[in-house]
Amino acid sequence: MNVPIVVAWGPLYLICELIPTQPDVLMEMLNTNSYDWEKQAIARKALAGILGNGLVNVEGAEHKAMRRLVAPSFSGHQIRQLAPLFYTKGQALAEAILRLTKGRDGEAVDPTDQFSRATLDIIGAAGVGMDFDTLEKNETILPKLYDSVIHAPFWFLLINGLFPTWFLGALKGTKIARILADQQRLRDEVRILMKRKKANMKEQDSTTTGKDIIASIMKAGDVSDDYLVNQMLTFLAAGHETTASALAWAILLLSRHPEIQGRLLVECDAQLGSTSASETDASIFDSEKMPFLAAVCNETLRLYPPAPITSRQNIVPTTLNGQLIPKGTLASLPLYSINRSEALWGSDATQFNPDRWLDGSNAAHGGAKSQFCFTSFLHGPRSCIGQSFARLEMKCILAALIMRLRFEPAEPDQKIELTGFLTIRPKNLRLKVHEIQETVSMEV
Ligand code: HEM
């Protein structure tokens, strides 16, 4: 990892990819010359079936215009107003996890599905202005469709990226055809939601209602139904499974580090105490007030970036580290590996150590020398537009969970394995969950 760019050859020397590994090079690719580098065509085709052609999947001038239209919905002011929603859903999630444990007499449970449902309900409310209430309504179709399309196997994404959809759809009775049918069903469901949203907006006084992302887009300009469906597909998918993954990893790590879980509980209790969800204010979760909560979130996102890899290809000749890079060169960005590089993070790079975000020089960057060593949300014009949303959401939900539940691993020595490709989550998450009966009274 000390070389700025690794050149990797694929099978039979047919494919050659650049793998940038150093902060300066990442800065050039993601920030300085961001629009020289687009997502690879195969990746975009595979993503289109899940995210539609919304903000994640468009390029160049179309991307700039779309990002400008959507950006106001992600202003600090808008996001901070969502804290009560995030905290309420965190509390509902704690209850849903408790329900899982009922009648199981101390057996381990897997709350992965509940994490996804809570974050889907949040992005439903904040993104589309609809509470899907999937945490309570088990039979709802959306979580099942998302599970099928987002957690499709890698080979499916590859085949889907390489071959035309009409050809793959003709492979009747195969897993390929089933996942493609789920993608189509998802698009159909989202179109129904879009129609309902438009009708709601027409019925109500649109100047006083609809502060959600899609309402803001509808108010900002005259856009087509397809445009809205694509944006809804993008925000519903990009806005829930990533945060659900981050929460699953955070809880797994906390279960394996009881002393860190204890410190977090003390801080949460001191700041939130018996604050009700409606009294919750974003300022309570600011790093100045809850530094340890911020550190735990940062460290989880560093060790387990929910989106572990992305790809690029330059559309014009450009340079990296002073080297001319011919047009059409492929690049892979190994976010997971960069975040764990010993060259960038030191010898304890793979350890869960939230204190690296609190003490010592460069604590703001987790002790690394540059912000580009932390790649979980990428950087520059194509960085995650939902970063502040996700960070506040993660903090609120984690605080609500930790104040209500104590987590323990089912088998303390079990090796942590991960599964998934677009987003990663723990494989076979098995946790023992204990209800916290009393509030803590220790000093922070
Ligand atoms: C912990 C949670 C999250 C993580 C780790 C994450 C990570 C990322 C990453 C790495 C990208 C860049 C993908 C690429 O260019 O290859 C991205 C883009 C994006 N994310 Fe997130 N994301 C998270 C949560 C969210 C949320 C909550 C939303 C919406 C509410 C969201 C919406 C988007 C959108 C729309 C883009 C495309 C931005 C653009 O290209 O201009 N993300 N995200």
Side-chain angles (χ1 to χ4, degrees):
M1 274 286 194
N2 273 323
V3 269
I5 310 169
V6 175
V7 179
W9 286 94
L12 302 173
Y13 286 84
L14 288 175
I15 303 171
C16 171
E17 286 206 321
L18 299 182
I19 303 183
T21 59
Q22 291 294 307
D24 293 354
V25 178
L26 289 163
M27 187 168 84
E28 269 188 281
M29 189 183 258
L30 298 173
N31 210 358
T32 325
N33 301 323
S34 170
Y35 282 98
D36 289 355
W37 295 91
E38 297 191 343
K39 287 197 182 70
Q40 292 179 15
I42 296 182
R44 284 172 58 198
K45 176 155 186 308
L47 285 175
I50 305 165
L51 301 165
N53 286 316
L55 190 61
V56 174
N57 226 17
V58 293
E59 300 289 348
E62 194 182 2
H63 173 264
K64 280 185 193 164
M66 218 180 255
R67 185 132 178 158
R68 220 176 296 127
L69 187 73
V70 183
S73 302
F74 291 92
S75 69
H77 174 70
Q78 292 285 355
I79 301 299
R80 290 173 79 78
Q81 291 187 343
L82 295 171
L85 168 72
F86 295 156
Y87 195 64
T88 313
K89 287 292 176 193
Q91 290 178 325
L93 173 60
E95 295 310 316
I97 296 175
L98 269 180
R99 280 201 298 276
L100 270 188
T101 64
K102 288 272 146 36
R104 295 215 183 166
D105 202 22
E107 262 178 53
V109 294
D110 178 354
T112 306
D113 184 44
Q114 279 66 28
F115 292 135
S116 297
R117 285 169 180 264
T119 53
L120 182 57
D121 288 349
I122 286 176
I123 193 64
V128 195
M130 295 174 191
D131 188 350
F132 303 141
D133 207 12
T134 64
L135 259 182
E136 303 297 326
K137 296 180 188 151
N138 197 34
E139 71 287 357
T140 324
I141 189 74
L142 277 182
K144 294 181 182 97
L145 292 175
Y146 272 119
D147 189 45
S148 161
V149 304
I150 295 185
H151 300 295
F154 173 67
W155 60 259
F156 169 82
L157 296 169
L158 190 65
I159 290 176
N160 192 19
L162 287 170
F163 295 96
T165 311
W166 63 262
F167 169 72
L168 298 175
L171 303 172
K172 300 269 183 258
T174 60
K175 184 158 185 171
I176 297 175
R178 275 200 301 281
I179 302 174
L180 284 176
D182 283 345
Q183 289 188 350
Q184 185 55 49
R185 174 86 195 269
L186 180 63
R187 208 178 167 85
D188 295 343
E189 290 289 328
V190 169
R191 187 170 286 276
I192 294 169
L193 292 176
M194 183 275 297
K195 292 240 160 85
R196 202 191 306 159
K197 176 79 193 159
K198 274 184 108 173
N200 288 349
M201 294 279 288
K202 226 180 239 169
E203 258 173 37
Q204 296 159 352
D205 175 4
S206 66
T207 52
T208 57
T209 58
K211 289 191 168 164
D212 55 88
I213 302 168
I214 295 300
S216 309
I217 295 177
M218 286 165 74
K219 284 184 213 163
D222 187 16
V223 290
S224 70
D225 285 2
D226 274 343
Y227 186 99
L228 289 173
V229 170
N230 282 321
Q231 296 306 343
M232 283 172 71
L233 279 166
T234 291
F235 285 111
L236 288 177
H240 93 274
E241 200 47 42
T242 41
T243 319
S245 151
L247 286 168
W249 288 114
I251 293 298
L252 174 63
L253 288 165
L254 290 171
S255 74
R256 286 170 173 253
H257 295 85
E259 71 297 348
I260 295 180
Q261 196 176 159
R263 272 173 75 187
L264 186 57
L265 172 59
V266 170
E267 185 181 90
C268 290
D269 193 59
Q271 291 302 329
L272 285 152
S274 54
T275 312
S276 69
S278 59
E279 293 164 346
T280 316
D281 183 81
S283 65
I284 302 176
F285 299 93
D286 285 344
S287 306
E288 296 72 37
K289 288 210 175 130
M290 300 186 78
F292 199 59
L293 178 62
V296 166
C297 293
N298 278 334
E299 186 66 346
T300 304
L301 289 163
R302 180 187 73 82
L303 272 182
Y304 294 101
I309 190 164
T310 189
S311 72
R312 294 290 187 265
Q313 180 166 28
N314 58 337
I315 52 159
V316 288
T318 187
T319 55
L320 280 180
N321 203 33
Q323 185 93 25
L324 185 67
I325 310 290
K327 176 182 165 180
T329 303
L330 303 175
S332 274
L333 283 83
L335 314 186
Y336 181 91
S337 308
I338 294 167
N339 283 9
R340 289 170 164 247
S341 156
E342 284 195 9
L344 303 178
W345 294 92
S347 56
D348 69 344
T350 56
Q351 305 300 309
F352 180 58
N353 174 18
D355 284 313
R356 73 175 82 237
W357 298 91
L358 298 174
D359 310 325
S361 58
N362 290 336
H365 299 146
K369 66 176 180 197
S370 151
Q371 56 168 323
F372 284 85
C373 301
F374 177 87
T375 56
S376 306
F377 293 100
L378 283 193
H379 295 277
R382 296 305 305 252
S383 64
C384 176
I385 199 168
Q387 176 169 184
S388 307
F389 183 116
R391 282 180 178 280
L392 184 57
E393 181 185 17
M394 188 177 175
K395 285 184 192 174
C396 293
I397 296 180
L398 208 52
L401 290 181
I402 288 302
M403 289 183 70
R404 185 94 172 87
L405 307 171
R406 184 169 60 78
F407 297 92
E408 228 185 280
E411 295 132 45
D413 302 326
Q414 195 188 355
K415 202 168 158 264
I416 297 184
E417 285 182 77
L418 45 85
T419 179
F421 179 73
L422 288 177
T423 59
I424 47 166
R425 52 186 183 173
K427 193 172 178 181
N428 302 327
L429 181 61
R430 309 278 307 145
L431 297 169
K432 287 191 177 165
V433 182
H434 308 274
E435 187 173 0
I436 296 177
Q437 305 287 357
E438 292 163 20
T439 51
V440 254
S441 55
M442 284 183 268
E443 296 281 308
V444 194

